[in-house]
Structures are given as structure tokens and as C-alpha cells.
Amino acid sequence: MGDLRRLDALPRGCSASAWLEGLLPDPPEDLESRLDRCRKLLDDGRFDREASLFAGRREDPAALVVCTTAGSASRLEMLAVGEGDRRRGLGRALLTAAVSSLRARGQATVRAEPVSSREGPWRSLLESLGFEGRSLGSLRMHRRLNGRLPAHPVPPGYELRCLRPGEEEAWVELRNACFPGDPWPPERYGSELSDSPVYELDRILVATREGRLAGTTIAWEADYGGSPGGLIHWVGVHPRHRGAGLAKALNARALRQLADRGYAEAWLNTSRRFEPAVGLYHRLGFEIHREMLAYELILGGQAEAPAP
């Protein structure tokens, strides 16, 4: 296994972020945002220098753990073990040493997030060391597009169609009415949608009543590993039109379009706090693919008092 050494003891000219990329040359999609954050922390030197460690030869690390600290709370940013060095106890040894360092300094807690429910070995390691998990609410759901697809009639008085040229700003207004806590400026339509290589107005489905936009969903595309799949994207119904069955009609139409475009499967991202939406997606044949979790270990130090 070799000695466990602090990352700040690396030889001059060695890059911890480059080593991290070497340990995880092809990270799964769920790990990419965590890897990007950790790489930046390493490049900027913003890591806990006593609790961030590596194992292996000085010129060729086999594993590393990266922690950050703010006040009495610490965060486990990354634990990475090279493929050829797994199942040798390196991860456990590094994490145990990092936690011991934090506990010895009187830290109150150490937290790891986000953790995918599909990261079985990582979750098992955290739980074996006393970390307790809780849901962050973020869900990714999935269904196949073979076989019978759901159908739902368009509610009386409404029309379902594709977005038309010139309606882009109206669509943003509708989206903002559906999600008032996260408003978009009109120009964000470009950065989020029309600048995409898969953009087509026909992908954006809308429900209208008396010529005004009342609801929407997008038959989009995503690559969550393997090959591109269909994505149900930005499902929203204006508050004045909720309860009429528009969401089910729109999503059923979007699933049909995705199947007609040749996708073998459909994905969507949502949150547990949107309970009616999660129930609808289950009725449309979706199952939970993964849930994002936060794990926390109470170390026993003195927690900071909350700000008044």
C-alpha cells in the first residue's frame, strides 16, 4: 500500500489535479460535477492540507482523498482510487486517516455530498465508518420506449402543438410563471435551448388556450452514459391551468415524439419535493434510476453557534 502522505508534500512540479484525473480517466456522469469542483479546489490550493492525503509512490499515487474545512464543519470532496489499486483497502485507509485528522483537530462534522444512490461501494464505505445518509431530493427517472406508450386526451378547450417561430419570449414568460423562484431573462432561451446542437422548435411542445401558452414540455436529448437517449425536459403548467390534465397530455405526446425520433429510452430529472409530478411520472411508466444523497458524520467537536 505504501505510506499515506499529505497532498501538500507532493514533489515540486507535481499536480494533484492531474493525478486525480489520472485516477479517474473516464468518470461516470454522476461524478463529473464533483470532479470539476475538486479539480478547481486542488488547482487553487483551497483544500485542508492536513486531511487531504494520497497513497502510493510519490511519483505515482494510487489513491487520494481531498477534504475542505470551513469553521468547525468539514467536507469530503473526493475519494479516488486508481482502477488497478481497488479492493486493496486504500480507500478505507485514506478516509479513516482523513477522518482521524479532522476529529483530532476538534472538527464537529464532516459531510460528503452529492452521492448517487447507484454508488454502492462508496455508500457502503461511508456507512461502515458511521456516516448517515439523507436524500437531497434530486431524482433521475427512466423508462424504456418500446412497447405500449401512455396516451392521454387533450383536455377540452386546449390545443397541443409545437412552439412556433416568434413565440420564444412567450415561452420564457410561461416558464417563469411555472417556476417563479428561478426566473430566466429572455436571452437565456439561447444558452439553454436554441444554442444546442439538438435544438428544433418541433421538440418544444406547448398547450394553448385561446391562443395563449398554458403549459409546456420538451422532447429533448441527453447522454447519461452509453448513447444519447430522449429527455423529458422543462415540464411546466401555468398556475391558472393546473388540474386540467395538461401535464399528462403533454408528457404522453413528448414520449411518443421521442419514440418516433428513434430513441430507445427516456429520462427526466425532478425532485422529491414535487410529489404530484413524481406520482405522474410513475403513472407514465418511469422508475427512479438514481437519487442524490448527502452523508454526514458527527465527529464530536464543538459546532459553531448559528448566526443571530
Side-chain angles (χ1 to χ4, degrees):
M1 180 183 302
D3 295 334
L4 306 185
R5 301 174 181 268
R6 288 171 34 166
L7 280 181
D8 63 357
L10 292 173
R12 186 184 301 275
C14 291
S15 166
S17 63
W19 275 348
L20 176 59
E21 291 189 33
L23 294 172
L24 297 171
D26 188 23
E29 185 270 341
D30 283 338
L31 200 60
E32 287 180 354
S33 61
R34 199 189 319 167
L35 183 59
D36 288 343
R37 171 183 163 85
C38 191
R39 186 187 302 112
K40 183 169 178 56
L41 290 169
L42 291 171
D43 286 340
D44 294 345
R46 294 184 291 113
F47 56 91
D48 187 309
R49 296 181 182 278
E50 295 182 38
S52 298
L53 312 164
F54 75 92
R57 296 177 295 277
R58 288 171 63 92
E59 298 80 11
D60 185 20
L64 59 80
V65 62
V66 180
C67 297
T68 55
T69 295
S72 64
S74 297
R75 179 177 168 122
L76 176 59
E77 301 287 351
M78 181 67 70
L79 176 66
V81 181
E83 186 172 359
D85 291 289
R86 294 171 189 169
R87 293 173 291 279
R88 296 175 53 207
L90 284 178
R92 176 177 292 277
L94 281 167
L95 185 53
T96 299
V99 168
S100 296
S101 172
L102 296 171
R103 181 178 280 117
R105 287 156 45 200
Q107 293 300 110
T109 61
V110 57
R111 187 170 179 169
E113 67 167 275
V115 177
S116 169
S117 60
R118 299 179 67 82
E119 294 181 89
W122 179 216
R123 293 177 60 201
S124 295
L125 174 57
L126 290 170
E127 290 167 7
S128 73
L129 294 178
F131 284 78
E132 294 188 359
R134 66 172 180 82
S135 174
L136 291 169
S138 175
L139 302 177
R140 176 165 295 156
M141 304 183 75
H142 171 266
R143 67 153 291 158
R144 303 290 298 176
L145 292 175
N146 56 349
R148 185 176 179 181
L149 295 177
H152 190 73
V154 180
Y158 292 91
E159 176 191 3
L160 259 62
R161 60 172 173 81
C162 300
L163 196 68
R164 295 169 179 165
E167 291 184 321
E168 293 85 354
E169 285 197 21
W171 185 91
V172 173
E173 291 176 5
L174 169 64
R175 183 229 168 263
N176 290 347
C178 297
F179 305 98
D182 179 30
W184 282 10
E187 59 270 18
R188 192 164 170 187
Y189 181 93
S191 61
E192 295 284 343
L193 297 178
S194 61
D195 290 347
S196 168
V198 302
Y199 175 74
E200 299 173 29
L201 276 176
D202 286 353
R203 287 183 179 268
I204 303 177
L205 304 176
V206 293
T208 65
R209 186 177 181 94
E210 297 177 350
R212 297 181 64 86
L213 304 188
T216 186
T217 192
I218 304 177
W220 209 236
E221 181 181 291
D223 188 347
Y224 292 142
S227 61
L231 178 69
I232 300 293
H233 196 36
W234 286 120
V235 180
V237 175
H238 194 288
R240 290 197 299 268
H241 298 276
R242 290 173 184 166
L246 288 179
K248 189 170 184 180
L250 283 161
N251 283 305
R253 185 75 60 87
L255 287 172
R256 170 51 58 190
Q257 184 184 137
L258 290 174
D260 291 344
R261 286 176 176 270
Y263 296 108
E265 56 192 359
W267 301 85
L268 63 84
N269 298 297
T270 188
S271 171
R272 279 203 182 274
R273 72 178 186 272
F274 301 140
E275 291 183 14
V278 174
L280 169 63
Y281 299 140
H282 278 302
R283 293 192 295 275
L284 289 169
F286 284 88
E287 299 292 339
I288 294 173
H289 174 73
R290 67 105 173 99
E291 183 167 7
M292 300 311 293
L293 309 165
Y295 276 85
E296 187 174 51
L297 176 64
I298 306 300
L299 298 175
Q302 182 63 44
E304 293 181 335

